[in-house]
Structures are given as structure tokens and as C-alpha cells.
Amino acid sequence: SADGRQARVRVWRSMHELELAGSVERLGASPGAGLRLGARVRNVGSRTGVAVYCEIPPGTRPVPGSASPGAVPVAADLETIVALVRSRPESLEALAVGEAEARALAWSMTDLNTGREAAVDVRLEASAAYGTSVRCSAFTAEVLRTTEVSRLAILHLPIARR
């Protein structure tokens, strides 16, 4: 109420801190037309920022300059990225490699507070990726190790022939 005697508090009860959704779509009918990988992450309960890590599947490579802002091409595995984000989320750039050497793209969103969402995407050149899948993971700086599956949002997106 206006006089401060009453208030409403909403509590989110979830064992997960994040929601992650995504898709892989073909950009044309020909096999070499390429793919678009898109993911949307929503922070539903973490006090800290969020990071997203999407592996680049065999037979694909990112189209230079096509990734959404903040993308860092990395050769590091998910466990290394989790450790870095846990200790210093703003230092993801320290692991950057050239796009040709990258095995994943990572985004660190230190300002993605509870209730906010963000989208990441990239276009991929594809030569032999069909029948494989893309794995994207989202996690917060509060995650202790990659084995804490309840604190990682993991998404497997199949790349199917059309």
C-alpha cells in the first residue's frame, strides 16, 4: 500500500536458474547454403550474470562477422570456460582465438540480471555437418563445476537434412 504497511513479494521456485531455447535452420535449399544457429537464454533466478557456450560442430565454421555482439571465438572446452567465468566473468576475451582455430563461441553477459533474457546467434558455413548436432550450454558465475548439471542449461540441436 502507499503507506508502506503492505507489500507483495513474488518468489520464483525453480531448481534451475536459467532457461535456454534455440534452433538450427538451413538458410537455403542447396547443401552449401549454410546454417543459422540461434539461442535465447533467460535468467530466471541467478544473482550473477550468465555465459553461453556453443560448440562449432565438425564440418562447419562461423561466417566471419556474423556472430551476435559479444561473441568470443575460443578453442577452450566448456570446463575451462566455466572455471574462467566463475573466477573472472569479464575476462573471457583472454581466451579468444582466430575464427579458423575456434571450436566454440562464447558470450559473457555480466549484466543479464534476474528476469532478463538475451539472444545469441551465428551463421555457419556447412560442408558436412548434416546428421550431427550443436551443443549449447548456458550457466551462471555461481556454478562450481561442469558436473553440476542442475546448474547448467544444456541444449542439443540436431542438424538434419531437408
Side-chain angles (χ1 to χ4, degrees), residues 6-151:
Q6 295 179 355
R8 179 179 295 171
V9 176
R10 294 182 187 210
V11 178
W12 179 265
R13 294 178 186 213
S14 174
M15 65 183 270
H16 301 288
E17 298 169 329
L18 305 170
E19 295 173 348
L20 181 64
S23 64
V24 175
E25 61 184 82
R26 291 183 58 181
L27 297 175
S30 68
L35 306 165
R36 181 188 163 278
L37 163 65
R40 178 169 290 286
V41 63
R42 182 169 185 256
N43 183 345
V44 294
S46 173
R47 295 181 312 272
T48 63
V50 173
V52 176
Y53 177 90
C54 291
E55 296 172 359
I56 299 169
T60 68
R61 64 184 186 130
V63 173
S66 70
S68 56
V72 178
V74 295
D77 62 8
L78 177 60
E79 195 166 318
T80 302
I81 298 296
V82 167
L84 177 71
V85 169
R86 186 181 66 232
S87 63
R88 296 185 332 260
E90 70 286 348
S91 62
L92 188 59
E93 291 283 336
L95 296 179
V97 298
E99 287 183 347
E101 298 88 43
R103 59 185 266 197
L105 293 172
W107 291 262
S108 180
M109 302 166 202
T110 56
D111 61 343
L112 193 68
N113 298 320
T114 301
R116 295 189 60 204
E117 63 179 56
V120 298
D121 63 49
V122 64
R123 283 192 341 261
L124 300 170
E125 293 177 359
S127 58
Y130 300 104
T132 65
S133 66
V134 177
R135 179 180 170 178
C136 288
S137 303
F139 54 94
T140 70
E142 293 172 337
V143 71
L144 297 177
R145 55 193 169 275
T146 57
T147 55
E148 289 186 319
V149 177
S150 69
R151 304 202 60 190

